[in-house]
Amino acid sequence: MKEKSMRVVKSAQERKNEILDVAEQLFEEKGFDNASTNDIINRIGIARGTLYHHFASKEEILDAIVERMTKEGICKASLIVKERNVPICERLTAAIMALNIKEGAATEVFDQIHRPQNALLHQKMQERLLDGVVPIIEGLIREGNETGLFDSRYPKEAAEMIMIYSSVAFDELMNLSNEDILKKGQAFAYHIEKLLGAKENSLFDVIMKIIAGQNK
Amino acid sequence: MKEKSMRVVKSAQERKNEILDVAEQLFEEKGFDNASTNDIINRIGIARGTLYHHFASKEEILDAIVERMTKEGICKASLIVKERNVPICERLTAAIMALNIKEGAATEVFDQIHRPQNALLHQKMQERLLDGVVPIIEGLIREGNETGLFDSRYPKEAAEMIMIYSSVAFDELMNLSNEDILKKGQAFAYHIEKLLGAKENSLFDVIMKIIAGQNK
DNA sequence: GGCTTTACCGACAGGTTGTCGGTTAAGTTA
DNA sequence: TAACTTAACCGACAACCTGTCGGTAAAGCC
């Protein structure tokens, strides 16, 4: 039954990615705590030592996954912000939503992410996204201040507040009915306007458009 | 060396509290992940079976601790709110701060709480505090709306935003310099005023007073 | 073709949580 | 007060887990 241990050698980078792919998949399926390093090595078909040759610990694997998952969102956000011909409000909403990467493959991750087994994953993702995106949003708010679109006395803290709220509140979106989601989105837009001292409805429409597109 | 296993019988309630006391203490010292059930039973001097006679799992112990720790804060908040002769602004700040129970014995817990080992504890505390305190704050905002003090179109979501932000942002307070803390507090007050449509400085002073008192 | 580097292997130590049959104390009933 | 029931308690044990380590084999270099 047991396969003979055919020795297959790959480049470190290739093997690392393979491990991360499988680990991510497994964390989605069973949660971080429940997925064991044995699960990982069995599914790939490598030995225990191989795994620990590439990663020092299970937590380091998690860190690498978080890194990989967040990098894309943060890059996207920082690109969007630089498009100075796009209206600030649109850039702002796009940047905020860049972390809610609900698109494509990552969907299942976000379903599992709040389960208690994934508290650590959740915390690390949030931390990293906050560190990465808050400065970007902050810059945007400052730009809006100069343009006269916004009037925010504490851009950094406002950015923090927006990002923290959206990362926690939009986590639990899937449990809500469609009208609840709508209301939550409206409230979010309304509050951001207040927070940034923006004109009423200056953000409302563009935010609602994105939220509507989200669950089509 | 090994003590003879003198059999001591206690009432279920008494024993449960004993377990929670020691577990809480241990979680403070080593973090939730690092503190083992063996640590708990050894420190108390009971057998493995005894522990699992009273609690079904390690996580159930954690839940009970979270329950115990948050109950006090939530009770306090709901009491404060009922004092209708106290100005709303003071009640609001007091209720918000009721979760930052930095007073007395709980101090060390909050130092340890952000360490990765405690992600689960952190998440559960936050969840429970949010569920408990948000409705209370919401009621207060509605009251403020009626009095004309506030002007909030979405009281529930505003309460959520305030609580989520304060529970995340004030977590990492100990790493900051005193002036940073001050600025963060000022920004917080400013933003709450904006969020609730309150008059400028109507909350500022009372919030700053509390924050100043916090790290004396 | 020899040498060094590095990916790889799998047994193993030392830890973990949760289970379970059996034991003893406390309470209840007769 | 003696028999019986309930509930707290015990400790060995199974079934995991993570991380280590000496050794093997492929790849790259001289």
Side-chain angles (χ1 to χ4, degrees):
Chain A
M1 290 297 115
K2 193 78 157 289
E3 292 292 326
K4 211 39 158 309
S5 63
M6 282 295 298
R7 191 172 207 137
V8 180
V9 178
K10 300 189 178 183
S11 80
Q13 198 48 57
E14 198 176 351
R15 187 64 90 189
K16 272 189 179 173
N17 282 330
E18 194 180 1
I19 292 171
L20 292 182
D21 289 340
V22 171
E24 187 175 325
Q25 187 182 323
L26 242 11
F27 291 168
E28 284 170 27
E29 285 173 28
K30 323 173 71 171
F32 176 70
D33 288 359
N34 292 358
S36 72
T37 50
N38 282 322
D39 291 336
I40 298 174
I41 65 181
N42 288 338
R43 186 168 291 187
I44 302 181
I46 56 173
R48 210 154 176 68
T50 306
L51 185 98
Y52 280 90
H53 174 70
H54 292 288
F55 295 95
S57 67
K58 195 184 169 187
E59 189 171 351
E60 201 172 88
I61 297 176
L62 180 67
D63 288 340
I65 289 180
V66 169
E67 167 76 23
R68 236 175 44 160
M69 287 175 68
T70 52
K71 198 153 82 179
E72 194 192 352
I74 293 175
C75 281
K76 200 181 291 180
S78 70
L79 279 180
I80 293 166
V81 175
K82 293 202 185 94
E83 305 262 338
R84 305 208 63 154
N85 53 327
V86 177
I88 292 188
C89 292
E90 288 196 23
R91 280 186 279 157
L92 182 68
T93 31
I96 292 171
M97 294 305 172
L99 65 69
N100 284 36
I101 351 156
K102 299 258 201 294
E103 39 165 80
T107 316
E108 301 89 20
V109 191
F110 282 86
D111 291 353
Q112 283 279 109
I113 217 171
H114 335 93
R115 287 181 27 193
Q117 296 91 21
N118 288 330
L120 188 57
L121 172 60
H122 191 215
Q123 194 186 58
K124 293 202 173 210
M125 291 257 316
Q126 188 168 301
E127 211 169 297
R128 183 131 166 63
L129 282 172
L130 250 44
D131 287 353
V133 183
V134 164
I136 295 175
I137 306 280
E138 183 190 346
L140 217 42
I141 296 175
R142 286 186 194 281
E143 197 186 319
N145 273 343
E146 282 162 26
T147 334
L149 242 164
F150 300 150
D151 172 27
S152 169
R153 201 179 296 173
Y154 302 93
K156 183 179 151 216
E157 284 76 11
E160 259 182 21
M161 202 155 175
I162 292 171
M163 290 314 299
I164 289 174
Y165 177 73
S166 72
S167 90
V168 176
F170 292 133
D171 258 8
E172 44 201 38
L173 222 69
M174 53 280 297
N175 310 331
L176 270 53
S177 72
N178 261 19
E179 53 187 326
D180 280 349
I181 293 180
L182 202 72
K183 193 194 166 200
K184 210 158 190 177
Q186 289 170 339
F188 184 57
Y190 176 79
H191 283 140
I192 292 186
E193 286 166 8
K194 292 283 177 199
L195 226 43
L196 302 184
K199 273 212 307 281
E200 182 138 7
N201 285 339
S202 59
L203 282 161
F204 197 90
D205 292 331
V206 52
I207 288 185
M208 289 317 294
K209 200 173 68 189
I210 301 213
I211 289 180
Q214 198 100 107
N215 32 313
K216 53 154 172 279
Chain B
M1 288 295 117
K2 194 78 157 287
E3 291 292 326
K4 212 36 158 309
S5 62
M6 283 295 297
R7 194 173 202 131
V8 180
V9 178
K10 302 189 176 180
S11 80
Q13 198 48 58
E14 198 176 351
R15 188 64 92 187
K16 272 189 180 175
N17 282 331
E18 193 180 3
I19 291 171
L20 292 182
D21 289 340
V22 171
E24 187 174 325
Q25 187 183 323
L26 242 11
F27 292 167
E28 284 171 28
E29 286 173 27
K30 323 173 71 172
F32 176 70
D33 288 359
N34 292 0
S36 72
T37 50
N38 281 323
D39 292 337
I40 299 173
I41 64 181
N42 288 337
R43 186 168 292 185
I44 302 181
I46 57 174
R48 225 167 157 61
T50 306
L51 184 95
Y52 280 90
H53 174 71
H54 291 288
F55 295 95
S57 66
K58 194 184 168 186
E59 189 170 351
E60 201 171 88
I61 297 177
L62 180 67
D63 288 340
I65 289 180
V66 169
E67 168 76 23
R68 235 176 43 162
M69 287 176 67
T70 52
K71 199 153 84 181
E72 193 193 354
I74 293 174
C75 281
K76 199 180 292 179
S78 70
L79 279 181
I80 292 166
V81 175
K82 293 202 186 91
E83 304 263 337
R84 305 208 64 152
N85 52 328
V86 177
I88 292 189
C89 292
E90 287 197 25
R91 281 186 278 156
L92 182 69
T93 31
I96 292 172
M97 294 304 172
L99 64 70
N100 284 36
I101 351 154
K102 299 258 201 293
E103 38 166 80
T107 316
E108 300 88 19
V109 191
F110 282 85
D111 290 351
Q112 281 279 113
I113 217 171
H114 334 93
R115 286 181 29 192
Q117 296 92 22
N118 287 331
L120 187 59
L121 172 61
H122 191 215
Q123 194 186 60
K124 294 202 174 212
M125 291 256 318
Q126 187 168 302
E127 210 170 298
R128 183 132 166 63
L129 282 172
L130 249 44
D131 288 353
V133 181
V134 164
I136 295 175
I137 305 280
E138 184 190 345
L140 216 42
I141 295 176
R142 286 185 195 284
E143 196 185 320
N145 273 342
E146 282 162 25
T147 334
L149 240 164
F150 301 151
D151 172 26
S152 169
R153 201 179 293 172
Y154 302 93
K156 184 179 150 219
E157 285 76 10
E160 259 182 21
M161 201 154 173
I162 292 171
M163 290 315 297
I164 289 174
Y165 177 73
S166 73
S167 90
V168 176
F170 291 133
D171 258 9
E172 43 202 39
L173 223 68
M174 54 279 298
N175 310 330
L176 272 51
S177 70
N178 260 19
E179 52 187 327
D180 281 348
I181 294 179
L182 202 72
K183 192 193 166 201
K184 209 158 189 176
Q186 288 170 339
F188 183 57
Y190 175 79
H191 285 140
I192 292 186
E193 286 166 8
K194 292 284 177 195
L195 225 44
L196 302 184
K199 275 213 306 280
E200 180 137 9
N201 284 340
S202 60
L203 281 161
F204 196 91
D205 292 332
V206 51
I207 288 184
M208 290 317 296
K209 200 174 68 189
I210 300 214
I211 289 179
Q214 199 99 107
N215 33 314
K216 55 155 170 278

